[in-house]
Amino acid sequence: MTDKVLRIITTHAEDGAALRTAFFAAHASQVAEAARAMALCLTGGGKILFCGNGGSAADAQHFAAELVNRFMMERPPLPAIALTTDSSALTAIGNDYSFEQIFSKQVRALGRPGDVLVGISTSGKSANVNEALRLGMENGLVTVGLGGGNGGEMTRHCHHALIVPDTRTPLVQEIHAAIGHLLCGLIDYYLFEAVSELEPFLGSEQP
């Protein structure tokens, strides 16, 4: 291994660790609030929808699977859907309408007031993600955005905007993965370990 390779590895690891530490130091309460909103949605019989493109599509499927299957504890499956997985719906909407609507039309079909929509975009500028968030907010869904940079248009359409203040896509994705794991873990915590922490919010308007 050359010195240059070692520097590449070390720099990436150190930059990622510093960004992760800084993000959660500044935004821990926002992550907790988003997770609480998701747990409250589930207590009311709602579901969690996820969407994103490319690596963020993989994150959407990953987080949905953690809820439907399990995360760290044995518990009942929780209702979550990744809007990135139905190739027939995606290609039909993209072909008949536009790529910008591939998620928003699914939100219109599947989303109900009180459900949560999580949109993931490393830049915050993905038009189809932001259109889904816009439509979700307009139709009574609780919207959560995982973004990057300055958040782009995403922040306008989110009740809970979790924006990683960096433009390096791989590092933003690493923080998104950590956020997603924390959301799943905190949902389990609120629903199965500390329901009393939800009680003051039950029956109240969300988000």
Side-chain angles (χ1 to χ4, degrees), residues 35-36 38-44 73 75 78 185-195 198:
R36 186 177 64 214
M38 296 167 78
L40 287 167
C41 160
L42 295 170
T43 65
M73 65 164 60
R75 44 86 167 145
L78 301 174
L186 288 168
I187 287 169
D188 284 357
Y189 170 77
Y190 285 129
L191 292 181
F192 303 105
E193 294 187 85
V195 178
L198 289 183

Side-chain angles (χ1 to χ4, degrees), residues 33-77:
E33 289 169 6
R36 186 177 64 214
M38 296 167 78
L40 287 167
C41 160
L42 295 170
T43 65
K47 59 187 172 295
I48 315 294
L49 306 175
F50 295 89
C51 64
N53 299 289
S56 297
D59 284 341
Q61 293 167 220
H62 174 185
F63 303 148
E66 301 283 23
L67 295 178
V68 171
N69 183 32
R70 67 169 184 175
F71 186 55
M72 296 292 288
M73 65 164 60
E74 289 295 336
R75 44 86 167 145

Side-chain angles (χ1 to χ4, degrees), residues 2 10 23 35-37 39-40 48 55 68 75-77 81 83 85 96 98 124 145 156-157 179 186 192 203:
T2 65
T10 302
F23 176 83
R36 186 177 64 214
L40 287 167
I48 315 294
V68 171
R75 44 86 167 145
I81 302 171
L83 303 181
T85 60
D96 295 347
S98 71
R156 297 174 51 193
H157 309 303
I179 294 169
L186 288 168
F192 303 105

Side-chain angles (χ1 to χ4, degrees), residues 131-205:
E131 176 60 15
L133 290 167
R134 184 198 66 78
L135 185 79
M137 180 178 278
E138 186 178 281
N139 284 274
L141 280 73
V142 177
T143 54
V144 178
L146 275 59
N150 65 7
E153 290 289 310
M154 174 178 278
T155 57
R156 297 174 51 193
H157 309 303
C158 290
H159 296 104
H160 304 275
L162 305 174
I163 309 301
V164 181
D166 202 283
T167 58
R168 292 168 290 182
T169 297
L171 295 185
V172 174
Q173 288 176 327
E174 290 176 19
I175 308 307
H176 283 179
I179 294 169
H181 284 153
L182 279 166
L183 292 174
C184 293
L186 288 168
I187 287 169
D188 284 357
Y189 170 77
Y190 285 129
L191 292 181
F192 303 105
E193 294 187 85
V195 178
S196 61
E197 293 191 31
L198 289 183
E199 288 177 355
F201 303 94
L202 292 173
S204 64
E205 289 291 325

